[in-house]
Amino acid sequence: MIVMKFGGTSIEDTLSVERVVGIIASRLEQCPVVVNSAMGKTTRKLLDIARLSAQGMDEKALLRLDEIGGYHFDMARSLTPDFENSDVRTTLERYFEELRRLLGGLSILRELTPRSQDRILSYGELVATTIIASALQGRGISARWLDARDFIITDEKFTRAKPLDGLTCRSIQEKVRPLVESGYVPVIQGFIGSTRSGATTTLGFEGSDFTAALAGAALDVSNIEIWKDVNGIMTADPRIFAGARTVRNITFEEASELTFFGAKVLHPGTIEPARRKNIPVNIYNSRQPDAGGTTITAQTKRGTNLVKSIAYNMPVCIINIVSNSHADPAGFLKSVFDILDREGFTPCAVTTAGTGIAMAVSVSEDMEHVIDELKRLGTVNITGEKATISLVGENIRTTRDFALVVFRNLEDVNIYMVAQGASPISLTFVVDESDIPSVIARLHEAFFKEPDPDTFD
Ligand code: ADP
Ligand code: ASP
Ligand code: MG
C-alpha cells in the first residue's frame, strides 16, 4: 500500500488532473490511497471571500464565489462522463449552495470566527476530491470518495488543529484499510479534520502534506509519495534561486530542520509520523513524473558536500527584551517562554545574554498581543524587515570550522543574530530581507560548486 498526495498546483486545471489520473493509474498495483489539496489557489480565494462577507460586502463575495464555482464546474464537466445527469453535479451544487448560505451568515454576523473559517475553507478540499474521484472513475478506476472528517479527529484549535494521535490512527485503520483491501482506491481530503463533536477543523495552511503522512503512518504503507510542481526538495527555493538542484537523498532529521526553518516545500508536521514508522517519503514532480525526485529516509549515504539545502524564512523580526530584574535571569527566561507557549509562538532562533534575550520570530497578524505581554518583563525593541537563513546538512555535525566557512563568504553582509549548536546539523542567522537573494546565491556558489552526483541531480 502507498499514499499519494497531490497539491493544489498538481490539480489546477483539466490537463493537470488528467496527468494525475494517469500517474495514479500507473501505480494501481501498489494499492494507492489518494490525498488531495484544494485545486489551484482555491483555499486562498475562499479565505478572501469569507473576509469580504464578514465585512458585509456580500455582492462582491458572491460574485467571487460564482467564479470559483464556474472554475470547478468547468473542470468537473470535462472530466465526468454524462456530467449533467451525474451525482457529481448534484454534490457540487449542494456544496456551493452550502457555501452561499454560510457566507450569508457571516455577512449578517459581520464576523469571521476561526471555527467558521475552517468550515468554509474545507469546501476547497471537499470539492476537489469529488472531482478527482469522479475523474478516476471515468478512467475505469474503482475510486471511492471518503470524508476525512470521519477519521482525522483533532483538538478544538480551529485553523491550526492538532490530530488526536491514537483516535485518528485507529479511525484511519477502521475506515480506510478495509476499502483498500477490497480493491478500492480511497480518495480523501488533505488539510481538514473534525473535532470529536463533529465540528470541521483544519490542520493549518499547507496541511495536506501532514494528512498524507498521518494516513501513511496509520496504514503502515511502504511509501508516502508527495507530488508537487518541483522536482523534489531542492538545494534552495527555486523561486528565489534559479540554479537550485534536486537533493536526491535526505534524512528525516535534515528534512525536518529544513521545514522548521521555513522551506515551504513541505508542511513541518509531515516528517514525524513517517519517521516514527520509518516509512520513506518521496517527493515527485507531477509535471515530470519520470524525474527522480527526493527520497527522505532515516539514513543516507554520506555525501561530499557540507550542506544539503539552504532554507529561508521571511518576513521575520527580531524581538529584543532587556530584563527588568537582572537578579533572576533564569526566572526571566522562564517568563518569556511561558508567554510564547501560552500564545502559541515558536521563535526560529534565540540567543540569550545575562540581561536579556533576542528572538527571531516570523511576522504574523496576531503578534501585537504577545509583544504587549513581553513588555511586562522588560524593555522590548523590535527590528523588522529581517529574514533567517538556515544551512542544513548531516556533515555540519562533524565540521569544526563550519561557521567560519559560512561567514567568510558573507564579509560585507550585515548579520544580526547567529544561532548554532541547538541542532548539530544546522546553522541559522538573521540578515536584512533585501539581502536574501544575494546571500542565497553566494552560499549556493560556495557549498554546491561541486555537487556530489550521488546526492544531487
Ligand atoms: P503543493 O501545493 O503541491 O503542496 P507547494 O506550492 O506548497 O506545493 O510547495 C512547492 C513549492 O515549495 C515550490 O513551488 C517551491 O517554490 C517551494 N519551495 C521552497 N523551498 C523549496 C525547496 N528547498 N525545494 C523545493 N521547493 C521549495
Ligand atoms: N489547501 C490547503 C492550503 O492551501 C492545504 C494544502 O494545500 O496543503 O493551505
Ligand atoms: Mg502545499
Side-chain angles (χ1 to χ4, degrees):
M1 205 185 301
I2 57 170
V3 166
M4 304 178 78
K5 179 259 167 176
F6 297 91
T9 44
S10 295
I11 47 172
E12 66 187 357
D13 51 27
T14 308
L15 197 72
S16 47
V17 173
E18 279 168 347
R19 204 159 34 215
V20 161
V21 168
I23 295 171
I24 296 170
S26 72
R27 282 172 158 66
L28 290 179
E29 270 178 18
Q30 287 166 271
C31 303
V33 173
V34 175
V35 177
N36 284 134
S37 301
M39 295 173 144
K41 303 252 175 300
T42 303
T43 306
R44 193 70 237 170
K45 289 181 183 164
L46 286 171
L47 182 58
D48 290 344
I49 291 175
R51 287 181 173 156
L52 285 175
S53 294
Q55 289 159 11
M57 294 152 92
D58 323 10
E59 276 186 23
K60 208 168 170 185
L62 290 181
L63 220 66
R64 301 268 291 275
L65 183 65
D66 283 345
E67 280 170 26
I68 297 191
Y71 163 74
H72 284 97
F73 272 90
D74 284 350
M75 228 186 295
R77 197 169 283 118
S78 55
L79 290 161
T80 312
D82 194 15
F83 174 73
E84 298 310 326
N85 298 308
S86 67
D87 292 347
V88 177
R89 184 175 70 92
T90 35
T91 306
L92 293 189
E93 274 167 2
R94 177 165 54 84
Y95 284 147
F96 280 95
E97 182 49 36
E98 283 170 13
L99 267 172
R100 224 166 269 128
R101 285 213 305 276
L102 284 164
L103 294 172
L106 295 186
S107 79
I108 294 170
L109 294 169
R110 293 287 166 106
E111 187 188 25
L112 178 62
T113 60
R115 184 182 172 126
S116 31
Q117 177 172 315
D118 278 357
R119 180 71 198 277
I120 286 175
L121 296 194
S122 70
Y123 285 89
E125 269 69 12
L126 291 170
V127 169
T129 44
T130 303
I131 298 175
I132 302 286
S134 140
L136 287 166
Q137 286 156 1
R139 266 284 287 264
I141 296 168
S142 45
R144 183 70 85 80
W145 183 92
L146 294 182
D147 191 330
R149 293 171 297 183
D150 290 336
F151 42 82
I152 305 288
I153 312 299
T154 72
D155 65 14
E156 317 248 325
K157 290 211 176 76
F158 294 97
T159 74
R160 50 185 163 101
K162 286 215 167 53
L164 306 173
D165 281 342
L167 191 53
T168 295
C169 179
R170 280 194 303 279
S171 308
I172 294 173
Q173 288 166 351
E174 236 168 67
K175 305 248 160 70
V176 185
R177 185 189 289 285
L179 280 176
V180 184
E181 285 170 353
S182 319
Y184 288 101
V185 175
V187 178
I188 64 182
Q189 307 77 36
F191 181 53
I192 70 172
S194 159
T195 63
R196 265 181 289 203
S197 57
T200 300
T201 50
T202 65
L203 311 180
F205 288 111
E206 305 298 333
S208 297
D209 298 337
F210 186 26
T211 306
L214 286 173
L219 296 168
D220 273 313
V221 297
S222 57
N223 278 79
I224 298 168
E225 299 187 351
I226 313 255
W227 292 78
K228 302 253 160 194
D229 63 345
V230 276
N231 285 350
I233 296 184
M234 310 195 68
T235 47
D237 183 347
R239 274 182 299 205
I240 286 276
F241 183 68
R245 289 163 168 272
T246 297
V247 184
R248 288 159 63 165
N249 316 295
I250 191 164
T251 64
F252 290 128
E253 202 180 346
E254 289 169 327
S256 177
E257 290 277 304
L258 279 172
T259 57
F260 176 81
F261 287 118
K264 297 279 186 290
V265 62
L266 272 187
H267 180 282
T270 316
I271 303 302
E272 188 46 30
R275 191 198 57 78
R276 238 180 2 231
K277 289 284 186 82
N278 199 16
I279 301 171
V281 179
N282 296 99
I283 313 203
Y284 296 123
N285 189 345
S286 65
R287 286 156 210 275
Q288 291 177 42
D290 298 325
T294 298
T295 305
I296 314 176
T297 46
Q299 262 151 16
T300 61
K301 216 179 116 203
R302 215 185 169 87
T304 51
N305 296 73
L306 276 182
V307 172
K308 280 274 180 74
S309 180
I310 307 168
Y312 70 98
N313 194 5
M314 156 175 121
V316 160
C317 67
I318 298 177
I319 304 179
N320 202 296
I321 317 162
V322 177
S323 169
N324 280 337
S325 105
H326 292 184
D328 181 16
F332 165 72
L333 289 178
K334 177 177 184 305
S335 307
V336 170
F337 285 106
D338 282 347
I339 292 172
L340 297 180
D341 181 37
R342 229 176 17 245
E343 304 286 331
F345 258 76
T346 311
C348 18
V350 178
T351 57
T352 65
T355 54
I357 182 167
M359 304 184 285
V361 182
S362 283
V363 174
S364 68
E365 284 166 10
D366 49 351
M367 278 187 71
E368 231 162 84
H369 187 245
V370 186
I371 289 166
D372 285 342
E373 291 280 299
L374 292 171
K375 279 183 180 160
R376 294 164 192 245
L377 306 178
T379 310
V380 175
N381 250 305
I382 298 175
T383 328
E385 294 175 23
K386 300 283 174 278
T388 57
I389 295 221
S390 305
L391 296 140
V392 176
E394 262 302 327
N395 286 343
I396 295 175
R397 195 190 287 274
T398 45
T399 310
R400 268 207 349 251
D401 57 351
F402 182 67
L404 190 71
V405 184
V406 173
F407 295 119
R408 206 166 40 210
N409 287 285
L410 303 175
E411 272 169 7
D412 53 340
V413 177
N414 287 327
I415 313 272
Y416 298 89
M417 259 178 82
V418 179
Q420 190 187 17
S423 149
I425 62 162
S426 73
L427 178 140
T428 294
F429 55 96
V430 180
V431 296
D432 284 317
E433 222 175 79
S434 53
D435 282 339
I436 282 289
S438 70
V439 169
I440 290 184
R442 280 153 74 173
L443 292 175
H444 203 280
E445 168 67 19
F447 288 105
F448 300 107
K449 200 187 278 166
E450 289 170 32
D452 182 338
D454 284 340
T455 309
F456 304 98
D457 255 346

PDB file of all heavy atoms in Angstrom, residues 25-52:
ATOM      1  N   ALA A  25      -3.103   5.833 -12.079  1.00  0.00           N
ATOM      2  CA  ALA A  25      -3.371   4.592 -12.828  1.00  0.00           C
ATOM      3  C   ALA A  25      -2.106   3.750 -12.963  1.00  0.00           C
ATOM      4  O   ALA A  25      -2.162   2.513 -12.935  1.00  0.00           O
ATOM      5  CB  ALA A  25      -3.933   4.931 -14.212  1.00  0.00           C
ATOM      6  N   SER A  26      -0.945   4.421 -13.059  1.00  0.00           N
ATOM      7  CA  SER A  26       0.300   3.678 -13.248  1.00  0.00           C
ATOM      8  C   SER A  26       0.753   2.977 -11.959  1.00  0.00           C
ATOM      9  O   SER A  26       1.710   2.214 -11.966  1.00  0.00           O
ATOM     10  CB  SER A  26       1.401   4.623 -13.730  1.00  0.00           C
ATOM     11  OG  SER A  26       1.806   5.459 -12.669  1.00  0.00           O
ATOM     12  N   ARG A  27       0.089   3.269 -10.829  1.00  0.00           N
ATOM     13  CA  ARG A  27       0.535   2.683  -9.567  1.00  0.00           C
ATOM     14  C   ARG A  27      -0.538   1.823  -8.898  1.00  0.00           C
ATOM     15  O   ARG A  27      -0.454   1.555  -7.695  1.00  0.00           O
ATOM     16  CB  ARG A  27       0.946   3.809  -8.617  1.00  0.00           C
ATOM     17  CG  ARG A  27       2.342   4.358  -8.974  1.00  0.00           C
ATOM     18  CD  ARG A  27       2.613   5.554  -8.161  1.00  0.00           C
ATOM     19  NE  ARG A  27       3.991   5.929  -7.962  1.00  0.00           N
ATOM     20  CZ  ARG A  27       4.836   6.337  -8.873  1.00  0.00           C
ATOM     21  NH1 ARG A  27       4.530   6.284 -10.142  1.00  0.00           N
ATOM     22  NH2 ARG A  27       6.033   6.774  -8.520  1.00  0.00           N
ATOM     23  N   LEU A  28      -1.515   1.404  -9.654  1.00  0.00           N
ATOM     24  CA  LEU A  28      -2.631   0.660  -9.048  1.00  0.00           C
ATOM     25  C   LEU A  28      -2.168  -0.622  -8.350  1.00  0.00           C
ATOM     26  O   LEU A  28      -2.729  -1.012  -7.329  1.00  0.00           O
ATOM     27  CB  LEU A  28      -3.695   0.321 -10.102  1.00  0.00           C
ATOM     28  CG  LEU A  28      -4.486   1.537 -10.618  1.00  0.00           C
ATOM     29  CD1 LEU A  28      -5.496   1.107 -11.667  1.00  0.00           C
ATOM     30  CD2 LEU A  28      -5.185   2.265  -9.467  1.00  0.00           C
ATOM     31  N   GLU A  29      -1.111  -1.232  -8.881  1.00  0.00           N
ATOM     32  CA  GLU A  29      -0.623  -2.475  -8.270  1.00  0.00           C
ATOM     33  C   GLU A  29      -0.130  -2.263  -6.851  1.00  0.00           C
ATOM     34  O   GLU A  29      -0.087  -3.181  -6.052  1.00  0.00           O
ATOM     35  CB  GLU A  29       0.521  -3.045  -9.109  1.00  0.00           C
ATOM     36  CG  GLU A  29      -0.008  -3.971 -10.162  1.00  0.00           C
ATOM     37  CD  GLU A  29       1.094  -4.511 -11.044  1.00  0.00           C
ATOM     38  OE1 GLU A  29       2.271  -4.440 -10.630  1.00  0.00           O
ATOM     39  OE2 GLU A  29       0.759  -4.983 -12.138  1.00  0.00           O
ATOM     40  N   GLN A  30       0.265  -1.010  -6.562  1.00  0.00           N
ATOM     41  CA  GLN A  30       0.784  -0.728  -5.218  1.00  0.00           C
ATOM     42  C   GLN A  30      -0.327  -0.349  -4.233  1.00  0.00           C
ATOM     43  O   GLN A  30      -0.055   0.029  -3.118  1.00  0.00           O
ATOM     44  CB  GLN A  30       1.834   0.380  -5.298  1.00  0.00           C
ATOM     45  CG  GLN A  30       3.132  -0.118  -5.912  1.00  0.00           C
ATOM     46  CD  GLN A  30       4.026   1.040  -6.302  1.00  0.00           C
ATOM     47  OE1 GLN A  30       3.953   1.564  -7.424  1.00  0.00           O
ATOM     48  NE2 GLN A  30       4.841   1.470  -5.360  1.00  0.00           N
ATOM     49  N   CYS A  31      -1.574  -0.430  -4.663  1.00  0.00           N
ATOM     50  CA  CYS A  31      -2.725  -0.129  -3.808  1.00  0.00           C
ATOM     51  C   CYS A  31      -2.653   1.281  -3.210  1.00  0.00           C
ATOM     52  O   CYS A  31      -2.415   1.449  -2.011  1.00  0.00           O
ATOM     53  CB  CYS A  31      -2.865  -1.149  -2.687  1.00  0.00           C
ATOM     54  SG  CYS A  31      -3.017  -2.811  -3.284  1.00  0.00           S
ATOM     55  N   PRO A  32      -2.855   2.312  -4.043  1.00  0.00           N
ATOM     56  CA  PRO A  32      -2.717   3.676  -3.540  1.00  0.00           C
ATOM     57  C   PRO A  32      -3.913   4.171  -2.738  1.00  0.00           C
ATOM     58  O   PRO A  32      -5.049   3.789  -2.998  1.00  0.00           O
ATOM     59  CB  PRO A  32      -2.587   4.505  -4.830  1.00  0.00           C
ATOM     60  CG  PRO A  32      -3.242   3.703  -5.887  1.00  0.00           C
ATOM     61  CD  PRO A  32      -3.129   2.252  -5.489  1.00  0.00           C
ATOM     62  N   VAL A  33      -3.611   5.029  -1.760  1.00  0.00           N
ATOM     63  CA  VAL A  33      -4.622   5.841  -1.071  1.00  0.00           C
ATOM     64  C   VAL A  33      -4.320   7.267  -1.514  1.00  0.00           C
ATOM     65  O   VAL A  33      -3.185   7.728  -1.375  1.00  0.00           O
ATOM     66  CB  VAL A  33      -4.473   5.716   0.460  1.00  0.00           C
ATOM     67  CG1 VAL A  33      -5.391   6.693   1.176  1.00  0.00           C
ATOM     68  CG2 VAL A  33      -4.742   4.287   0.902  1.00  0.00           C
ATOM     69  N   VAL A  34      -5.306   7.955  -2.092  1.00  0.00           N
ATOM     70  CA  VAL A  34      -5.042   9.272  -2.683  1.00  0.00           C
ATOM     71  C   VAL A  34      -5.476  10.380  -1.719  1.00  0.00           C
ATOM     72  O   VAL A  34      -6.562  10.315  -1.150  1.00  0.00           O
ATOM     73  CB  VAL A  34      -5.793   9.406  -4.034  1.00  0.00           C
ATOM     74  CG1 VAL A  34      -5.644  10.799  -4.607  1.00  0.00           C
ATOM     75  CG2 VAL A  34      -5.291   8.351  -5.012  1.00  0.00           C
ATOM     76  N   VAL A  35      -4.600  11.364  -1.527  1.00  0.00           N
ATOM     77  CA  VAL A  35      -4.917  12.536  -0.691  1.00  0.00           C
ATOM     78  C   VAL A  35      -4.814  13.776  -1.573  1.00  0.00           C
ATOM     79  O   VAL A  35      -3.831  13.931  -2.301  1.00  0.00           O
ATOM     80  CB  VAL A  35      -3.921  12.658   0.494  1.00  0.00           C
ATOM     81  CG1 VAL A  35      -4.203  13.904   1.316  1.00  0.00           C
ATOM     82  CG2 VAL A  35      -3.977  11.424   1.378  1.00  0.00           C
ATOM     83  N   ASN A  36      -5.823  14.637  -1.531  1.00  0.00           N
ATOM     84  CA  ASN A  36      -5.804  15.846  -2.368  1.00  0.00           C
ATOM     85  C   ASN A  36      -5.947  17.121  -1.575  1.00  0.00           C
ATOM     86  O   ASN A  36      -6.701  17.185  -0.613  1.00  0.00           O
ATOM     87  CB  ASN A  36      -6.967  15.828  -3.367  1.00  0.00           C
ATOM     88  CG  ASN A  36      -6.696  14.889  -4.513  1.00  0.00           C
ATOM     89  OD1 ASN A  36      -7.554  14.116  -4.879  1.00  0.00           O
ATOM     90  ND2 ASN A  36      -5.495  14.943  -5.059  1.00  0.00           N
ATOM     91  N   SER A  37      -5.244  18.153  -2.042  1.00  0.00           N
ATOM     92  CA  SER A  37      -5.487  19.522  -1.560  1.00  0.00           C
ATOM     93  C   SER A  37      -6.636  20.106  -2.368  1.00  0.00           C
ATOM     94  O   SER A  37      -7.173  19.457  -3.263  1.00  0.00           O
ATOM     95  CB  SER A  37      -4.289  20.419  -1.846  1.00  0.00           C
ATOM     96  OG  SER A  37      -3.146  19.947  -1.260  1.00  0.00           O
ATOM     97  N   ALA A  38      -6.945  21.369  -2.078  1.00  0.00           N
ATOM     98  CA  ALA A  38      -7.884  22.117  -2.913  1.00  0.00           C
ATOM     99  C   ALA A  38      -7.199  22.398  -4.251  1.00  0.00           C
ATOM    100  O   ALA A  38      -5.973  22.371  -4.355  1.00  0.00           O
ATOM    101  CB  ALA A  38      -8.246  23.407  -2.218  1.00  0.00           C
ATOM    102  N   MET A  39      -8.005  22.681  -5.297  1.00  0.00           N
ATOM    103  CA  MET A  39      -7.431  22.876  -6.627  1.00  0.00           C
ATOM    104  C   MET A  39      -6.861  24.286  -6.791  1.00  0.00           C
ATOM    105  O   MET A  39      -7.518  25.273  -6.415  1.00  0.00           O
ATOM    106  CB  MET A  39      -8.507  22.641  -7.670  1.00  0.00           C
ATOM    107  CG  MET A  39      -8.963  21.190  -7.652  1.00  0.00           C
ATOM    108  SD  MET A  39     -10.354  20.901  -8.719  1.00  0.00           S
ATOM    109  CE  MET A  39      -9.961  19.253  -9.321  1.00  0.00           C
ATOM    110  N   GLY A  40      -5.668  24.375  -7.373  1.00  0.00           N
ATOM    111  CA  GLY A  40      -5.059  25.690  -7.626  1.00  0.00           C
ATOM    112  C   GLY A  40      -5.001  26.512  -6.346  1.00  0.00           C
ATOM    113  O   GLY A  40      -4.562  26.028  -5.306  1.00  0.00           O
ATOM    114  N   LYS A  41      -5.471  27.749  -6.443  1.00  0.00           N
ATOM    115  CA  LYS A  41      -5.379  28.656  -5.288  1.00  0.00           C
ATOM    116  C   LYS A  41      -6.716  28.767  -4.547  1.00  0.00           C
ATOM    117  O   LYS A  41      -7.031  29.797  -3.945  1.00  0.00           O
ATOM    118  CB  LYS A  41      -4.975  30.052  -5.791  1.00  0.00           C
ATOM    119  CG  LYS A  41      -3.682  30.111  -6.568  1.00  0.00           C
ATOM    120  CD  LYS A  41      -2.610  30.797  -5.733  1.00  0.00           C
ATOM    121  CE  LYS A  41      -1.251  30.797  -6.392  1.00  0.00           C
ATOM    122  NZ  LYS A  41      -0.691  29.481  -6.679  1.00  0.00           N
ATOM    123  N   THR A  42      -7.528  27.717  -4.610  1.00  0.00           N
ATOM    124  CA  THR A  42      -8.893  27.809  -4.067  1.00  0.00           C
ATOM    125  C   THR A  42      -8.936  28.166  -2.570  1.00  0.00           C
ATOM    126  O   THR A  42      -9.770  28.977  -2.155  1.00  0.00           O
ATOM    127  CB  THR A  42      -9.644  26.474  -4.313  1.00  0.00           C
ATOM    128  OG1 THR A  42      -9.614  26.225  -5.723  1.00  0.00           O
ATOM    129  CG2 THR A  42     -11.065  26.548  -3.833  1.00  0.00           C
ATOM    130  N   THR A  43      -8.044  27.590  -1.767  1.00  0.00           N
ATOM    131  CA  THR A  43      -8.082  27.874  -0.318  1.00  0.00           C
ATOM    132  C   THR A  43      -7.935  29.369  -0.071  1.00  0.00           C
ATOM    133  O   THR A  43      -8.685  29.985   0.690  1.00  0.00           O
ATOM    134  CB  THR A  43      -6.943  27.111   0.400  1.00  0.00           C
ATOM    135  OG1 THR A  43      -7.046  25.732   0.064  1.00  0.00           O
ATOM    136  CG2 THR A  43      -7.001  27.297   1.898  1.00  0.00           C
ATOM    137  N   ARG A  44      -6.942  29.962  -0.727  1.00  0.00           N
ATOM    138  CA  ARG A  44      -6.670  31.398  -0.586  1.00  0.00           C
ATOM    139  C   ARG A  44      -7.907  32.218  -1.009  1.00  0.00           C
ATOM    140  O   ARG A  44      -8.308  33.175  -0.354  1.00  0.00           O
ATOM    141  CB  ARG A  44      -5.476  31.713  -1.489  1.00  0.00           C
ATOM    142  CG  ARG A  44      -4.798  33.012  -1.338  1.00  0.00           C
ATOM    143  CD  ARG A  44      -4.027  33.125  -0.064  1.00  0.00           C
ATOM    144  NE  ARG A  44      -4.512  34.280   0.678  1.00  0.00           N
ATOM    145  CZ  ARG A  44      -4.187  34.573   1.923  1.00  0.00           C
ATOM    146  NH1 ARG A  44      -3.378  33.791   2.600  1.00  0.00           N
ATOM    147  NH2 ARG A  44      -4.663  35.634   2.515  1.00  0.00           N
ATOM    148  N   LYS A  45      -8.510  31.789  -2.112  1.00  0.00           N
ATOM    149  CA  LYS A  45      -9.664  32.531  -2.633  1.00  0.00           C
ATOM    150  C   LYS A  45     -10.857  32.417  -1.691  1.00  0.00           C
ATOM    151  O   LYS A  45     -11.570  33.393  -1.464  1.00  0.00           O
ATOM    152  CB  LYS A  45     -10.046  32.012  -4.033  1.00  0.00           C
ATOM    153  CG  LYS A  45      -9.029  32.417  -5.084  1.00  0.00           C
ATOM    154  CD  LYS A  45      -9.431  31.922  -6.449  1.00  0.00           C
ATOM    155  CE  LYS A  45      -8.366  32.259  -7.475  1.00  0.00           C
ATOM    156  NZ  LYS A  45      -8.527  31.489  -8.707  1.00  0.00           N
ATOM    157  N   LEU A  46     -11.080  31.234  -1.135  1.00  0.00           N
ATOM    158  CA  LEU A  46     -12.201  31.072  -0.202  1.00  0.00           C
ATOM    159  C   LEU A  46     -11.987  31.949   1.039  1.00  0.00           C
ATOM    160  O   LEU A  46     -12.922  32.542   1.568  1.00  0.00           O
ATOM    161  CB  LEU A  46     -12.345  29.602   0.224  1.00  0.00           C
ATOM    162  CG  LEU A  46     -12.938  28.661  -0.827  1.00  0.00           C
ATOM    163  CD1 LEU A  46     -12.831  27.208  -0.371  1.00  0.00           C
ATOM    164  CD2 LEU A  46     -14.401  29.011  -1.117  1.00  0.00           C
ATOM    165  N   LEU A  47     -10.736  32.039   1.463  1.00  0.00           N
ATOM    166  CA  LEU A  47     -10.446  32.877   2.637  1.00  0.00           C
ATOM    167  C   LEU A  47     -10.749  34.352   2.325  1.00  0.00           C
ATOM    168  O   LEU A  47     -11.375  35.055   3.132  1.00  0.00           O
ATOM    169  CB  LEU A  47      -8.972  32.697   3.042  1.00  0.00           C
ATOM    170  CG  LEU A  47      -8.525  33.463   4.271  1.00  0.00           C
ATOM    171  CD1 LEU A  47      -9.364  33.093   5.492  1.00  0.00           C
ATOM    172  CD2 LEU A  47      -7.050  33.188   4.584  1.00  0.00           C
ATOM    173  N   ASP A  48     -10.340  34.802   1.151  1.00  0.00           N
ATOM    174  CA  ASP A  48     -10.617  36.197   0.767  1.00  0.00           C
ATOM    175  C   ASP A  48     -12.128  36.447   0.728  1.00  0.00           C
ATOM    176  O   ASP A  48     -12.608  37.481   1.197  1.00  0.00           O
ATOM    177  CB  ASP A  48     -10.041  36.512  -0.624  1.00  0.00           C
ATOM    178  CG  ASP A  48      -8.518  36.549  -0.591  1.00  0.00           C
ATOM    179  OD1 ASP A  48      -7.957  36.639   0.517  1.00  0.00           O
ATOM    180  OD2 ASP A  48      -7.897  36.476  -1.669  1.00  0.00           O
ATOM    181  N   ILE A  49     -12.875  35.490   0.171  1.00  0.00           N
ATOM    182  CA  ILE A  49     -14.328  35.641   0.058  1.00  0.00           C
ATOM    183  C   ILE A  49     -14.970  35.689   1.444  1.00  0.00           C
ATOM    184  O   ILE A  49     -15.859  36.506   1.709  1.00  0.00           O
ATOM    185  CB  ILE A  49     -14.911  34.468  -0.769  1.00  0.00           C
ATOM    186  CG1 ILE A  49     -14.464  34.594  -2.217  1.00  0.00           C
ATOM    187  CG2 ILE A  49     -16.427  34.437  -0.686  1.00  0.00           C
ATOM    188  CD1 ILE A  49     -14.870  33.439  -3.093  1.00  0.00           C
ATOM    189  N   ALA A  50     -14.502  34.820   2.336  1.00  0.00           N
ATOM    190  CA  ALA A  50     -15.068  34.798   3.696  1.00  0.00           C
ATOM    191  C   ALA A  50     -14.825  36.144   4.377  1.00  0.00           C
ATOM    192  O   ALA A  50     -15.698  36.680   5.062  1.00  0.00           O
ATOM    193  CB  ALA A  50     -14.423  33.666   4.499  1.00  0.00           C
ATOM    194  N   ARG A  51     -13.641  36.711   4.156  1.00  0.00           N
ATOM    195  CA  ARG A  51     -13.332  38.005   4.780  1.00  0.00           C
ATOM    196  C   ARG A  51     -14.221  39.107   4.215  1.00  0.00           C
ATOM    197  O   ARG A  51     -14.692  39.977   4.949  1.00  0.00           O
ATOM    198  CB  ARG A  51     -11.858  38.356   4.586  1.00  0.00           C
ATOM    199  CG  ARG A  51     -10.989  37.502   5.477  1.00  0.00           C
ATOM    200  CD  ARG A  51      -9.515  37.820   5.331  1.00  0.00           C
ATOM    201  NE  ARG A  51      -8.755  37.088   6.322  1.00  0.00           N
ATOM    202  CZ  ARG A  51      -7.477  36.764   6.209  1.00  0.00           C
ATOM    203  NH1 ARG A  51      -6.802  37.126   5.127  1.00  0.00           N
ATOM    204  NH2 ARG A  51      -6.880  36.100   7.164  1.00  0.00           N
ATOM    205  N   LEU A  52     -14.455  39.069   2.895  1.00  0.00           N
ATOM    206  CA  LEU A  52     -15.336  40.064   2.274  1.00  0.00           C
ATOM    207  C   LEU A  52     -16.737  39.977   2.881  1.00  0.00           C
ATOM    208  O   LEU A  52     -17.342  40.993   3.234  1.00  0.00           O
ATOM    209  CB  LEU A  52     -15.436  39.830   0.760  1.00  0.00           C
ATOM    210  CG  LEU A  52     -14.250  40.234  -0.099  1.00  0.00           C
ATOM    211  CD1 LEU A  52     -14.489  39.798  -1.547  1.00  0.00           C
ATOM    212  CD2 LEU A  52     -14.032  41.747  -0.057  1.00  0.00           C
TER     213      LEU A  52
END
